[in-house]
Amino acid sequence: MAYETLKEGLSNAGFTLPTPFTEDGTAVNHDALAANVEFLRDAGASLFVPCGNTGEYYSLSNDERAGVVRTVVDAVGDDAIVIGGVGGSTKNALSLLERYEAAGADGVLVMYPRHTYVHEDGIRSYYERIADATDLGVVLYKRGPRLSLANVAALSGRENVVCVKFAQNDVDLFAKAVSRTPGDVVWSTGVAERFVPAYALEGATGFTTGIGNFAPEPVLALADAVRAGDFDRAKRIRDGLRPYEDLRDESGVGSDFDAANNVPSVKYGQELAGLYGGPVREPLAELPDEVKTRCREYYDRLTDLDLD
């Protein structure tokens, strides 16, 4: 896919797909994955991101990651864009690159570096090695300080670095990143729908969504409102989505870790929508009944949103 076409597609709502596992959690349920993707495609989704954090990237084997990407590519057809997550060691990332290329993916999302000891120059080299190894579009995933603004700026000049997914909840830092980055990249908000209008005003033309996996219509309506510059409508839709989004951001019952509810609440939302979500894998945990009750309440509100 031509890079300009890819950039145009990335300036939209990107659906970060959960990975549905079999009931015992031991394998990927590929039939359910294909059905979930087809549901989104029929609703109007055109940008799909398998094997990201919402897809439990770090709980998957490489064989499972490659299989997930191939299933998504086959399910979406020729008109949609598929961006698969890669990460870990350089060798691991390059191995996945080859398999995603063979599967027909359009690009890769380079997961945030998780090494214990890092160096600024080494991180830049890591991204350069990945970008140099492929003609696929490369999306940088900025979740924290290890991918510095200086390295984002330096990497943005590479032809196949097409997008930055900015997932730090810091609008001031985002504005600085946009102003200091010389390359022609798309900026995508990675902190969910709650902050889409604010980041759009500072230069984000796209955003990624988890809640869209079971409520695609309001998410796509939000994207349309932002694209049209109708921020009153955008904020009204955002406010309707916010209760479920706030629940996703909670640490969960018996936990002190940020956003522990994130993935299981998306999978439970899929179940509420008549889809298959399935279990999560450790180190995540299932939602207790009291949180599921709140999910049902907030989901019911989503079905009654005024999207006009």
Side-chain angles (χ1 to χ4, degrees):
M1 180 176 289
Y3 296 137
E4 290 307 313
T5 304
L6 189 53
K7 290 176 184 178
E8 182 179 352
L10 286 161
S11 297
N12 206 332
F15 289 74
T16 55
L17 302 172
T19 302
F21 301 118
T22 54
E23 292 292 351
D24 62 3
T26 60
V28 175
N29 186 330
H30 287 277
D31 289 341
L33 176 60
N36 292 345
V37 169
E38 289 164 6
F39 164 79
L40 297 175
R41 183 197 62 197
D42 292 346
S46 59
L47 175 60
F48 299 87
V49 187
C51 299
N53 285 325
T54 302
E56 297 178 74
Y57 178 87
Y58 294 102
S59 296
L60 299 172
S61 70
N62 274 359
D63 285 345
E64 288 175 325
R65 292 164 183 156
V68 164
V69 169
R70 184 173 292 278
T71 294
V72 174
V73 169
D74 290 345
V76 300
D78 296 331
D79 297 332
I81 293 171
V82 178
I83 308 292
V86 301
S89 70
T90 304
K91 284 187 175 182
N92 194 77
L94 296 183
S95 174
L96 280 174
L97 267 178
E98 292 181 358
R99 299 179 75 169
Y100 290 0
E101 288 172 343
D106 301 290
V108 292
L109 171 71
V110 184
M111 303 297 284
Y112 187 66
R114 296 296 182 188
H115 291 270
T116 303
Y117 304 109
V118 295
H119 189 284
E120 184 88 357
D121 293 344
I123 287 179
R124 185 171 62 255
S125 295
Y126 175 73
Y127 286 94
E128 289 172 343
R129 288 275 306 278
I130 293 172
D132 287 346
T134 186
D135 291 327
L136 296 181
V138 174
V139 179
L140 308 180
Y141 195 0
K142 180 164 171 53
R143 284 189 61 84
R146 288 186 168 186
L147 180 55
S148 66
L149 297 192
N151 271 341
V152 170
L155 294 162
S156 71
R158 291 175 174 265
E159 183 183 15
N160 64 333
V161 174
V162 293
C163 178
V164 180
K165 178 179 176 178
F166 193 97
Q168 288 182 260
N169 190 4
D170 187 334
V171 175
D172 179 56
L173 184 66
F174 176 71
K176 291 175 181 175
V178 173
S179 66
R180 296 176 185 178
T181 300
D184 178 22
V185 295
V186 170
W187 293 92
S188 181
T189 310
V191 289
E193 286 80 359
R194 293 175 299 167
F195 306 107
V196 164
Y199 280 81
L201 288 170
E202 296 296 341
T205 56
F207 64 93
T208 56
T209 179
I211 198 173
N213 284 285
F214 57 87
E217 289 83 4
V219 169
L220 291 169
L222 174 61
D224 288 342
V226 169
R227 193 160 39 244
D230 187 349
F231 285 95
D232 287 338
R233 179 185 176 216
K235 288 188 288 186
R236 186 175 70 253
I237 297 170
R238 182 272 319 271
D239 289 346
L241 295 170
R242 186 152 197 162
Y244 209 112
E245 283 297 310
D246 285 343
L247 181 149
R248 289 180 64 208
D249 197 46
E250 293 175 9
S251 59
V253 177
S255 175
D256 293 325
F257 299 127
D258 292 342
N261 279 350
N262 193 318
V263 177
S265 64
V266 171
K267 287 190 168 185
Y268 187 62
Q270 290 178 301
E271 300 281 349
L272 293 173
L275 304 168
Y276 178 86
V280 294
R281 281 181 176 171
E282 65 284 348
L284 301 180
E286 302 297 339
L287 298 177
D289 288 343
E290 61 197 89
V291 178
K292 287 182 177 181
T293 298
R294 293 171 57 208
C295 286
R296 288 192 294 271
E297 175 188 345
Y298 300 153
Y299 175 79
D300 289 342
R301 294 185 198 176
L302 290 179
T303 62
D304 293 329
L305 284 182
D306 177 11
L307 304 180
D308 297 324

PDB file of all heavy atoms in Angstrom, residues 250-264:
ATOM      1  N   GLU A 250      -9.816   2.116  35.500  1.00  0.00           N
ATOM      2  CA  GLU A 250      -9.678   1.820  36.931  1.00  0.00           C
ATOM      3  C   GLU A 250      -8.710   0.661  37.171  1.00  0.00           C
ATOM      4  O   GLU A 250      -8.503  -0.195  36.306  1.00  0.00           O
ATOM      5  CB  GLU A 250     -11.042   1.488  37.522  1.00  0.00           C
ATOM      6  CG  GLU A 250     -12.000   2.667  37.552  1.00  0.00           C
ATOM      7  CD  GLU A 250     -13.385   2.265  38.037  1.00  0.00           C
ATOM      8  OE1 GLU A 250     -13.548   1.114  38.503  1.00  0.00           O
ATOM      9  OE2 GLU A 250     -14.312   3.099  37.938  1.00  0.00           O
ATOM     10  N   SER A 251      -8.164   0.622  38.379  1.00  0.00           N
ATOM     11  CA  SER A 251      -7.197  -0.417  38.739  1.00  0.00           C
ATOM     12  C   SER A 251      -7.857  -1.760  39.013  1.00  0.00           C
ATOM     13  O   SER A 251      -7.190  -2.796  39.006  1.00  0.00           O
ATOM     14  CB  SER A 251      -6.395   0.011  39.970  1.00  0.00           C
ATOM     15  OG  SER A 251      -7.261   0.250  41.067  1.00  0.00           O
ATOM     16  N   GLY A 252      -9.140  -1.754  39.255  1.00  0.00           N
ATOM     17  CA  GLY A 252      -9.847  -3.011  39.504  1.00  0.00           C
ATOM     18  C   GLY A 252      -9.908  -3.357  40.980  1.00  0.00           C
ATOM     19  O   GLY A 252      -9.173  -2.810  41.802  1.00  0.00           O
ATOM     20  N   VAL A 253     -10.784  -4.281  41.312  1.00  0.00           N
ATOM     21  CA  VAL A 253     -10.959  -4.714  42.693  1.00  0.00           C
ATOM     22  C   VAL A 253      -9.744  -5.523  43.127  1.00  0.00           C
ATOM     23  O   VAL A 253      -9.318  -6.460  42.439  1.00  0.00           O
ATOM     24  CB  VAL A 253     -12.236  -5.548  42.831  1.00  0.00           C
ATOM     25  CG1 VAL A 253     -12.387  -6.073  44.255  1.00  0.00           C
ATOM     26  CG2 VAL A 253     -13.466  -4.734  42.433  1.00  0.00           C
ATOM     27  N   GLY A 254      -9.146  -5.139  44.265  1.00  0.00           N
ATOM     28  CA  GLY A 254      -8.005  -5.869  44.800  1.00  0.00           C
ATOM     29  C   GLY A 254      -6.711  -5.636  44.050  1.00  0.00           C
ATOM     30  O   GLY A 254      -5.784  -6.446  44.149  1.00  0.00           O
ATOM     31  N   SER A 255      -6.623  -4.539  43.307  1.00  0.00           N
ATOM     32  CA  SER A 255      -5.426  -4.249  42.520  1.00  0.00           C
ATOM     33  C   SER A 255      -5.078  -2.774  42.627  1.00  0.00           C
ATOM     34  O   SER A 255      -5.962  -1.927  42.749  1.00  0.00           O
ATOM     35  CB  SER A 255      -5.653  -4.615  41.044  1.00  0.00           C
ATOM     36  OG  SER A 255      -4.561  -4.231  40.241  1.00  0.00           O
ATOM     37  N   ASP A 256      -3.797  -2.469  42.565  1.00  0.00           N
ATOM     38  CA  ASP A 256      -3.336  -1.082  42.581  1.00  0.00           C
ATOM     39  C   ASP A 256      -2.717  -0.665  41.247  1.00  0.00           C
ATOM     40  O   ASP A 256      -2.152   0.420  41.133  1.00  0.00           O
ATOM     41  CB  ASP A 256      -2.290  -0.868  43.689  1.00  0.00           C
ATOM     42  CG  ASP A 256      -2.881  -1.015  45.078  1.00  0.00           C
ATOM     43  OD1 ASP A 256      -4.051  -0.622  45.265  1.00  0.00           O
ATOM     44  OD2 ASP A 256      -2.181  -1.533  45.972  1.00  0.00           O
ATOM     45  N   PHE A 257      -2.802  -1.512  40.235  1.00  0.00           N
ATOM     46  CA  PHE A 257      -2.165  -1.229  38.957  1.00  0.00           C
ATOM     47  C   PHE A 257      -3.112  -0.471  38.033  1.00  0.00           C
ATOM     48  O   PHE A 257      -4.303  -0.809  37.930  1.00  0.00           O
ATOM     49  CB  PHE A 257      -1.714  -2.523  38.278  1.00  0.00           C
ATOM     50  CG  PHE A 257      -0.717  -3.301  39.077  1.00  0.00           C
ATOM     51  CD1 PHE A 257      -0.931  -4.639  39.368  1.00  0.00           C
ATOM     52  CD2 PHE A 257       0.442  -2.692  39.556  1.00  0.00           C
ATOM     53  CE1 PHE A 257      -0.010  -5.365  40.108  1.00  0.00           C
ATOM     54  CE2 PHE A 257       1.369  -3.415  40.298  1.00  0.00           C
ATOM     55  CZ  PHE A 257       1.143  -4.746  40.579  1.00  0.00           C
ATOM     56  N   ASP A 258      -2.585   0.525  37.347  1.00  0.00           N
ATOM     57  CA  ASP A 258      -3.395   1.352  36.469  1.00  0.00           C
ATOM     58  C   ASP A 258      -4.074   0.518  35.388  1.00  0.00           C
ATOM     59  O   ASP A 258      -3.470  -0.371  34.781  1.00  0.00           O
ATOM     60  CB  ASP A 258      -2.532   2.424  35.781  1.00  0.00           C
ATOM     61  CG  ASP A 258      -2.009   3.466  36.758  1.00  0.00           C
ATOM     62  OD1 ASP A 258      -2.578   3.566  37.862  1.00  0.00           O
ATOM     63  OD2 ASP A 258      -1.047   4.167  36.404  1.00  0.00           O
ATOM     64  N   ALA A 259      -5.351   0.836  35.143  1.00  0.00           N
ATOM     65  CA  ALA A 259      -6.113   0.306  34.012  1.00  0.00           C
ATOM     66  C   ALA A 259      -6.160  -1.219  33.956  1.00  0.00           C
ATOM     67  O   ALA A 259      -6.222  -1.806  32.880  1.00  0.00           O
ATOM     68  CB  ALA A 259      -5.563   0.867  32.696  1.00  0.00           C
ATOM     69  N   ALA A 260      -6.165  -1.861  35.116  1.00  0.00           N
ATOM     70  CA  ALA A 260      -6.270  -3.321  35.123  1.00  0.00           C
ATOM     71  C   ALA A 260      -7.606  -3.806  34.562  1.00  0.00           C
ATOM     72  O   ALA A 260      -7.721  -4.938  34.096  1.00  0.00           O
ATOM     73  CB  ALA A 260      -6.079  -3.850  36.546  1.00  0.00           C
ATOM     74  N   ASN A 261      -8.623  -2.924  34.591  1.00  0.00           N
ATOM     75  CA  ASN A 261      -9.925  -3.281  34.034  1.00  0.00           C
ATOM     76  C   ASN A 261      -9.962  -3.213  32.504  1.00  0.00           C
ATOM     77  O   ASN A 261     -10.930  -3.662  31.883  1.00  0.00           O
ATOM     78  CB  ASN A 261     -11.010  -2.323  34.553  1.00  0.00           C
ATOM     79  CG  ASN A 261     -11.496  -2.679  35.942  1.00  0.00           C
ATOM     80  OD1 ASN A 261     -11.183  -3.735  36.474  1.00  0.00           O
ATOM     81  ND2 ASN A 261     -12.269  -1.788  36.527  1.00  0.00           N
ATOM     82  N   ASN A 262      -8.944  -2.640  31.894  1.00  0.00           N
ATOM     83  CA  ASN A 262      -9.010  -2.236  30.497  1.00  0.00           C
ATOM     84  C   ASN A 262      -9.446  -3.361  29.563  1.00  0.00           C
ATOM     85  O   ASN A 262     -10.485  -3.283  28.904  1.00  0.00           O
ATOM     86  CB  ASN A 262      -7.638  -1.687  30.074  1.00  0.00           C
ATOM     87  CG  ASN A 262      -7.679  -0.964  28.749  1.00  0.00           C
ATOM     88  OD1 ASN A 262      -8.321  -1.401  27.810  1.00  0.00           O
ATOM     89  ND2 ASN A 262      -6.969   0.136  28.676  1.00  0.00           N
ATOM     90  N   VAL A 263      -8.648  -4.399  29.464  1.00  0.00           N
ATOM     91  CA  VAL A 263      -8.922  -5.457  28.488  1.00  0.00           C
ATOM     92  C   VAL A 263     -10.133  -6.308  28.883  1.00  0.00           C
ATOM     93  O   VAL A 263     -11.005  -6.556  28.037  1.00  0.00           O
ATOM     94  CB  VAL A 263      -7.670  -6.327  28.261  1.00  0.00           C
ATOM     95  CG1 VAL A 263      -7.976  -7.481  27.311  1.00  0.00           C
ATOM     96  CG2 VAL A 263      -6.530  -5.475  27.700  1.00  0.00           C
ATOM     97  N   PRO A 264     -10.237  -6.779  30.137  1.00  0.00           N
ATOM     98  CA  PRO A 264     -11.413  -7.607  30.452  1.00  0.00           C
ATOM     99  C   PRO A 264     -12.734  -6.871  30.284  1.00  0.00           C
ATOM    100  O   PRO A 264     -13.745  -7.491  29.932  1.00  0.00           O
ATOM    101  CB  PRO A 264     -11.179  -8.038  31.905  1.00  0.00           C
ATOM    102  CG  PRO A 264     -10.161  -7.101  32.448  1.00  0.00           C
ATOM    103  CD  PRO A 264      -9.315  -6.686  31.295  1.00  0.00           C
TER     104      PRO A 264
END
